[in-house]
PDB file of all heavy atoms in Angstrom:
ATOM      1  N   MET J  48      18.228  -0.305 -15.323  1.00 85.00           N
ATOM      2  CA  MET J  48      18.903   0.985 -15.247  1.00 85.00           C
ATOM      3  C   MET J  48      19.400   1.412 -16.627  1.00 85.00           C
ATOM      4  O   MET J  48      19.285   2.578 -17.008  1.00 85.00           O
ATOM      5  CB  MET J  48      20.082   0.893 -14.267  1.00 85.00           C
ATOM      6  CG  MET J  48      20.795   2.185 -14.047  1.00 85.00           C
ATOM      7  SD  MET J  48      19.841   3.444 -13.205  1.00 85.00           S
ATOM      8  CE  MET J  48      19.767   2.784 -11.559  1.00 85.00           C
ATOM      9  N   LEU J  49      19.937   0.462 -17.391  1.00 82.00           N
ATOM     10  CA  LEU J  49      20.369   0.773 -18.754  1.00 82.00           C
ATOM     11  C   LEU J  49      19.191   1.215 -19.614  1.00 82.00           C
ATOM     12  O   LEU J  49      19.259   2.215 -20.319  1.00 82.00           O
ATOM     13  CB  LEU J  49      21.038  -0.450 -19.394  1.00 82.00           C
ATOM     14  CG  LEU J  49      22.476  -0.716 -19.028  1.00 82.00           C
ATOM     15  CD1 LEU J  49      22.911  -2.072 -19.555  1.00 82.00           C
ATOM     16  CD2 LEU J  49      23.372   0.358 -19.590  1.00 82.00           C
ATOM     17  N   CYS J  50      18.109   0.471 -19.540  1.00 82.00           N
ATOM     18  CA  CYS J  50      16.940   0.726 -20.378  1.00 82.00           C
ATOM     19  C   CYS J  50      16.257   2.038 -20.040  1.00 82.00           C
ATOM     20  O   CYS J  50      15.904   2.815 -20.925  1.00 82.00           O
ATOM     21  CB  CYS J  50      15.963  -0.437 -20.238  1.00 82.00           C
ATOM     22  SG  CYS J  50      14.472  -0.259 -21.215  1.00 82.00           S
ATOM     23  N   MET J  51      16.049   2.311 -18.766  1.00 86.00           N
ATOM     24  CA  MET J  51      15.253   3.454 -18.340  1.00 86.00           C
ATOM     25  C   MET J  51      16.054   4.752 -18.186  1.00 86.00           C
ATOM     26  O   MET J  51      15.497   5.828 -18.354  1.00 86.00           O
ATOM     27  CB  MET J  51      14.564   3.144 -17.005  1.00 86.00           C
ATOM     28  CG  MET J  51      13.651   1.934 -17.067  1.00 86.00           C
ATOM     29  SD  MET J  51      12.372   2.067 -18.308  1.00 86.00           S
ATOM     30  CE  MET J  51      11.395   3.377 -17.633  1.00 86.00           C
ATOM     31  N   ASN J  52      17.339   4.665 -17.898  1.00 87.00           N
ATOM     32  CA  ASN J  52      18.094   5.872 -17.571  1.00 87.00           C
ATOM     33  C   ASN J  52      19.307   6.110 -18.466  1.00 87.00           C
ATOM     34  O   ASN J  52      19.441   7.183 -19.053  1.00 87.00           O
ATOM     35  CB  ASN J  52      18.572   5.823 -16.118  1.00 87.00           C
ATOM     36  CG  ASN J  52      17.431   5.782 -15.144  1.00 87.00           C
ATOM     37  OD1 ASN J  52      16.338   5.366 -15.460  1.00 87.00           O
ATOM     38  ND2 ASN J  52      17.677   6.202 -13.930  1.00 87.00           N
ATOM     39  N   VAL J  53      20.205   5.131 -18.532  1.00 85.00           N
ATOM     40  CA  VAL J  53      21.513   5.362 -19.153  1.00 85.00           C
ATOM     41  C   VAL J  53      21.419   5.522 -20.672  1.00 85.00           C
ATOM     42  O   VAL J  53      21.868   6.521 -21.226  1.00 85.00           O
ATOM     43  CB  VAL J  53      22.503   4.239 -18.781  1.00 85.00           C
ATOM     44  CG1 VAL J  53      23.838   4.445 -19.464  1.00 85.00           C
ATOM     45  CG2 VAL J  53      22.672   4.170 -17.276  1.00 85.00           C
ATOM     46  N   LEU J  54      20.827   4.540 -21.357  1.00 84.00           N
ATOM     47  CA  LEU J  54      20.780   4.609 -22.818  1.00 84.00           C
ATOM     48  C   LEU J  54      19.974   5.801 -23.333  1.00 84.00           C
ATOM     49  O   LEU J  54      20.415   6.476 -24.266  1.00 84.00           O
ATOM     50  CB  LEU J  54      20.256   3.289 -23.396  1.00 84.00           C
ATOM     51  CG  LEU J  54      21.142   2.067 -23.136  1.00 84.00           C
ATOM     52  CD1 LEU J  54      20.570   0.840 -23.812  1.00 84.00           C
ATOM     53  CD2 LEU J  54      22.560   2.308 -23.560  1.00 84.00           C
ATOM     54  N   PRO J  55      18.788   6.114 -22.748  1.00 86.00           N
ATOM     55  CA  PRO J  55      18.088   7.319 -23.220  1.00 86.00           C
ATOM     56  C   PRO J  55      18.906   8.601 -23.031  1.00 86.00           C
ATOM     57  O   PRO J  55      18.883   9.491 -23.885  1.00 86.00           O
ATOM     58  CB  PRO J  55      16.817   7.351 -22.373  1.00 86.00           C
ATOM     59  CG  PRO J  55      16.569   5.939 -22.013  1.00 86.00           C
ATOM     60  CD  PRO J  55      17.932   5.348 -21.834  1.00 86.00           C
ATOM     61  N   ARG J  56      19.657   8.704 -21.933  1.00 87.00           N
ATOM     62  CA  ARG J  56      20.483   9.900 -21.708  1.00 87.00           C
ATOM     63  C   ARG J  56      21.626   9.958 -22.711  1.00 87.00           C
ATOM     64  O   ARG J  56      21.977  11.032 -23.209  1.00 87.00           O
ATOM     65  CB  ARG J  56      21.028   9.897 -20.286  1.00 87.00           C
ATOM     66  CG  ARG J  56      21.866  11.095 -19.938  1.00 87.00           C
ATOM     67  CD  ARG J  56      21.107  12.425 -19.956  1.00 87.00           C
ATOM     68  NE  ARG J  56      20.072  12.466 -18.957  1.00 87.00           N
ATOM     69  CZ  ARG J  56      20.219  12.888 -17.712  1.00 87.00           C
ATOM     70  NH1 ARG J  56      21.397  13.333 -17.307  1.00 87.00           N
ATOM     71  NH2 ARG J  56      19.216  12.867 -16.883  1.00 87.00           N
ATOM     72  N   ILE J  57      22.216   8.804 -23.043  1.00 83.00           N
ATOM     73  CA  ILE J  57      23.284   8.775 -24.041  1.00 83.00           C
ATOM     74  C   ILE J  57      22.742   9.206 -25.396  1.00 83.00           C
ATOM     75  O   ILE J  57      23.353  10.005 -26.102  1.00 83.00           O
ATOM     76  CB  ILE J  57      23.933   7.372 -24.110  1.00 83.00           C
ATOM     77  CG1 ILE J  57      24.747   7.109 -22.845  1.00 83.00           C
ATOM     78  CG2 ILE J  57      24.806   7.238 -25.351  1.00 83.00           C
ATOM     79  CD1 ILE J  57      25.278   5.702 -22.736  1.00 83.00           C
ATOM     80  N   VAL J  58      21.577   8.691 -25.776  1.00 84.00           N
ATOM     81  CA  VAL J  58      20.964   9.074 -27.046  1.00 84.00           C
ATOM     82  C   VAL J  58      20.687  10.573 -27.063  1.00 84.00           C
ATOM     83  O   VAL J  58      20.958  11.265 -28.048  1.00 84.00           O
ATOM     84  CB  VAL J  58      19.665   8.263 -27.290  1.00 84.00           C
ATOM     85  CG1 VAL J  58      18.886   8.834 -28.454  1.00 84.00           C
ATOM     86  CG2 VAL J  58      19.998   6.803 -27.528  1.00 84.00           C
ATOM     87  N   GLN J  59      20.162  11.094 -25.974  1.00 84.00           N
ATOM     88  CA  GLN J  59      19.866  12.520 -25.873  1.00 84.00           C
ATOM     89  C   GLN J  59      21.144  13.358 -25.997  1.00 84.00           C
ATOM     90  O   GLN J  59      21.158  14.400 -26.651  1.00 84.00           O
ATOM     91  CB  GLN J  59      19.186  12.801 -24.536  1.00 84.00           C
ATOM     92  CG  GLN J  59      18.877  14.250 -24.283  1.00 84.00           C
ATOM     93  CD  GLN J  59      18.320  14.457 -22.876  1.00 84.00           C
ATOM     94  OE1 GLN J  59      18.186  13.513 -22.103  1.00 84.00           O
ATOM     95  NE2 GLN J  59      18.011  15.678 -22.559  1.00 84.00           N
TER      96      GLN J  59
END
Side-chain angles (χ1 to χ4, degrees):
M48 184 67 71
L49 280 171
C50 180
M51 301 303 293
N52 298 24
V53 178
L54 296 183
R56 181 64 64 90
I57 290 173
V58 169
Q59 178 185 1

